[in-house]
Amino acid sequence: MPIRDALVDIVGVDRVSNDPAELFIYSRDSGAQPPGRADFVVLPKTAEEISAILRLANREKIPVTPVGAGLTLSGIVVPERGGIVLDMKRMDRILEVDELNRYVVIEAGVSQGALQAYLKKHHPRFQHSTPEAPPTATVTANALIHGHGHISPRYGINSDMIAGMEVVLPSGEIARIGACALKGKWFSRGPLPDLAGLFVGWYGTTGIVTRISLKLFPKPGFRQVIVFKTDDIDLLPEAIAEIMYLDMAEDFFLIMQEKPDWMNHAFLVVILSGHFEEELEFKKTAYKRLFSDFKGGECISFVSDLHPALEKRFLDVPPLAALAADFRKGGGFQYTGAILPVDQVPAAWRKGIEISHRYGMVCSYVHQVLMGNSIMFGFNYSFNRADEADIEKARMALEESNRATLDLGGMIWKGEKSAQKMVLAKMEPNTAALIRRVQEFLDPNRIMNPGKWEV
Ligand SMILES: Cc1cc2nc3c(=O)[nH]c(=O)nc-3n(C[C@H](O)[C@H](O)[C@H](O)COP(=O)(O)OP(=O)(O)OC[C@H]3O[C@@H](n4cnc5c(N)ncnc54)[C@H](O)[C@@H]3O)c2cc1C
């Protein structure tokens, strides 16, 4: 039977397409990476449908690439070898919110915006960790790529918040991970062997996650932003350590942009929150005096005249920090996320400016501090989508930033294909061999998002 007919048998005619206009969209993402080729787009609604699709794909040796909203921008949803793109967005049900046990179970296509709006309306005392990505980004893909959200500095990255999963293995078998595997509540993934690690960080090469449980966190009623500024980049690691040591920040990010001139400083933006006004007031006072005696005073200043428009932007959930980025004519934008130890911030900062200038760009930065031991250091580059030479420049700038990240002892987050190759080349050989063995074991026909994490 032709593949299209077999797919129509599984999901129905309305949820399969091989229309060239639609395949065009699904063969690329909106970053700077080259497009691939999709043969079919399928929008499944259930784990059972995905199971049938994967059995078919295995029989026919057809690649399968899952996509949430495709907003990682680094080409990791681009189908490199044709085949089926599985668009998860029709799996959009919020299945359970358990306030007492503090978790939410959702299907894999639920967007950040939908979950945020649902919690605000029905469970206003709780929140999930929301990334600054556009609201159409899926909650599940974000957790699966080790994303980070507006409460990550306090509670950890979003993959830490996974409390359970349902996964369709490449063979088509459906498995559950965590307490839900014992037919219990979806409240915890330990103390069983932690099988979540087989699917987190793998870019869909080991299975399709169909449901996920995420921890929920209290949502304090009062929030405030405190901003510090410095021109001494070498002070940043210690300044970050001091802010994290006080241990009261809900969110904490660094921004800088070379233009306009008033933005050309290192700004340390700290979001404080509290259940009571007095609690917030106490935290504010503690932070305001944090740097008054630091290195004799004066070198890190408290910004007392923050413009109300900026204050609102920073206090939004998620904060709109990246709006300051240099979007040039043509609207292209991609950033490479370096996960760095905080002591490497000054060196990375200088390197990013050097790379931006070499490629004729204005440098702009947004970095989120993660729990105090690391930072998501964003090397941002914009380009004109209609100008192939400009896109190529952005690719080269990204590649240089990735190389610098590894040279500084950091890790590349959601890396492009070339970045994945760099990481694997630097990796301890037995670790790389283990990755290959896990993939071969779970996916012997290598149908799952082929070309990604290819050892
Ligand atoms: C302006 C801007 C700001 C951003 N800010 C942040 C931020 O603050 N924090 C942050 O973490 N990210 C941020 N991002 C990056 C990115 O947009 C988010 O991480 C986003 O949540 C990714 O979700 P997605 O649905 O777009 O994933 P996709 O790009 O669709 O997928 C990511 C990967 O997961 C795989 N995948 C998707 N669904 C499944 C599934 N169900 N099972 C198995 N594999 C699957 C895909 O094949 C792909 O390899 C930002 C992006 C932009 C453009």
Side-chain angles (χ1 to χ4, degrees):
M1 185 194 290
I3 304 296
R4 188 191 146 87
D5 293 350
L7 290 169
V8 168
D9 266 2
I10 297 169
V11 297
V13 71
D14 293 342
R15 289 189 278 125
V16 177
S17 174
N18 56 351
D19 175 334
E22 280 161 343
L23 296 182
F24 177 88
I25 299 290
Y26 283 96
S27 65
R28 63 199 67 229
D29 68 13
S30 50
Q33 302 312 306
R37 187 193 92 237
D39 296 316
F40 304 96
V41 181
V42 182
L43 290 98
K45 273 192 161 175
T46 64
E48 288 69 25
E49 287 178 355
I50 294 177
S51 167
I53 293 164
L54 294 189
R55 286 179 205 276
L56 167 74
N58 257 311
R59 236 180 5 256
E60 303 291 338
K61 314 274 187 296
I62 311 170
V64 177
T65 303
V67 56
L71 284 165
T72 31
L73 309 179
S74 47
I76 58 178
V77 297
V78 171
E80 285 181 35
R81 301 191 188 146
I84 301 166
V85 173
L86 270 191
D87 181 338
M88 302 300 291
K89 283 193 281 295
R90 291 288 170 90
M91 297 188 67
D92 59 358
R93 290 181 305 155
I94 296 168
L95 299 166
E96 183 191 359
V97 174
D98 186 328
E99 285 200 2
L100 281 181
N101 295 302
R102 296 227 315 226
Y103 66 82
V104 54
V105 183
I106 57 173
E107 289 185 327
V110 170
S111 69
Q112 296 289 350
L115 181 57
Q116 206 185 355
Y118 184 87
L119 291 175
K120 189 172 173 194
K121 185 166 178 194
H122 301 287
H123 304 275
R125 279 158 47 91
F126 292 91
Q127 60 180 336
H128 79 291
S129 178
T130 314
E132 200 190 331
T136 50
T138 62
V139 177
T140 299
N142 180 260
L144 292 180
I145 60 162
H146 293 292
H148 51 95
H150 77 290
I151 49 176
S152 286
R154 159 153 265 181
Y155 295 115
I157 58 171
N158 296 344
S159 50
D160 296 340
M161 299 176 183
I162 298 173
M165 285 183 189
E166 177 186 80
V167 188
V168 184
L169 304 178
S171 60
E173 291 152 295
I174 301 173
R176 286 192 171 181
I177 287 163
C180 59
L182 308 182
K183 318 257 183 309
K185 286 180 176 282
W186 291 58
F187 73 107
S188 172
R189 71 185 207 222
L192 304 173
D194 195 0
L195 296 172
L198 290 173
F199 308 98
V200 178
W202 290 83
Y203 305 160
T205 59
T206 49
I208 309 288
V209 175
T210 46
R211 290 183 183 192
I212 200 162
S213 166
L214 284 178
K215 295 177 196 169
L216 291 175
F217 297 89
K219 187 176 174 186
F222 300 94
R223 299 175 86 242
Q224 179 66 266
V225 57
I226 298 255
V227 179
F228 300 101
K229 140 177 134 174
T230 183
D231 289 320
D232 189 344
I233 306 307
D234 292 307
L235 291 180
L236 286 174
E238 272 185 82
I240 293 169
E242 289 303 312
I243 288 172
M244 293 309 285
Y245 192 75
L246 263 195
D247 204 16
M248 290 188 274
E250 176 183 286
D251 196 358
F252 175 18
F253 49 94
L254 273 56
I255 56 174
M256 179 284 259
Q257 192 178 299
E258 287 181 300
K259 297 281 175 205
D261 289 345
W262 67 267
M263 281 284 292
N264 195 5
H265 307 278
F267 291 95
L268 298 98
V269 183
V270 181
I271 310 291
L272 302 174
S273 61
H275 292 291
F276 315 102
E277 278 183 82
E278 297 85 340
E279 182 189 351
L280 190 60
E281 219 32 61
F282 169 79
K283 289 181 181 173
K284 240 166 67 180
T285 311
Y287 274 98
K288 268 186 184 172
R289 64 176 179 226
L290 187 63
F291 294 114
S292 49
D293 294 329
F294 184 73
K295 311 268 178 199
E298 302 296 310
C299 42
I300 298 184
S301 56
F302 170 67
V303 178
S304 54
D305 56 349
L306 188 65
H307 193 284
L310 268 186
E311 182 167 351
K312 184 185 170 319
R313 250 178 55 187
F314 293 154
L315 280 174
D316 268 345
V317 174
L320 289 175
L323 267 192
D326 170 33
F327 297 107
R328 297 198 296 189
K329 182 183 169 205
F333 169 68
Q334 188 179 330
Y335 70 104
T336 187
I339 306 297
L340 290 175
V342 290
D343 63 345
Q344 294 304 314
V345 166
W349 197 284
R350 292 191 173 96
K351 191 71 191 174
I353 293 176
E354 179 202 316
I355 295 171
S356 298
H357 291 180
R358 195 148 10 91
Y359 290 99
M361 299 185 211
V362 171
C363 184
S364 85
Y365 280 146
V366 180
H367 318 303
Q368 192 176 35
V369 178
L370 307 168
M371 298 290 286
N373 57 357
S374 59
I375 185 164
M376 195 298 293
F377 191 102
F379 293 93
N380 301 333
Y381 303 110
S382 57
F383 53 89
N384 182 349
R385 283 181 209 286
D387 180 344
E388 193 47 52
D390 210 36
I391 299 175
E392 186 53 29
K393 272 203 285 190
R395 277 185 206 134
M396 283 156 61
L398 289 159
E399 201 161 318
E400 278 195 45
S401 309
N402 285 328
R403 201 164 301 116
T405 300
L406 293 182
D407 289 346
L408 292 168
M411 289 179 290
I412 303 167
W413 172 56
K414 68 180 182 60
E416 307 78 14
K417 191 180 170 71
S418 59
Q420 293 162 37
K421 281 191 174 159
M422 276 184 220
V423 171
L424 290 170
K426 192 172 181 192
M427 191 178 274
E428 219 267 274
N430 285 343
T431 312
L434 180 59
I435 288 177
R436 191 184 59 236
R437 257 184 278 150
V438 169
Q439 286 173 335
E440 283 168 355
F441 173 69
L442 286 171
D443 179 23
N445 292 321
R446 301 305 304 273
I447 59 165
M448 304 301 296
N449 205 355
K452 312 300 176 324
W453 282 137
E454 201 165 55
V455 181

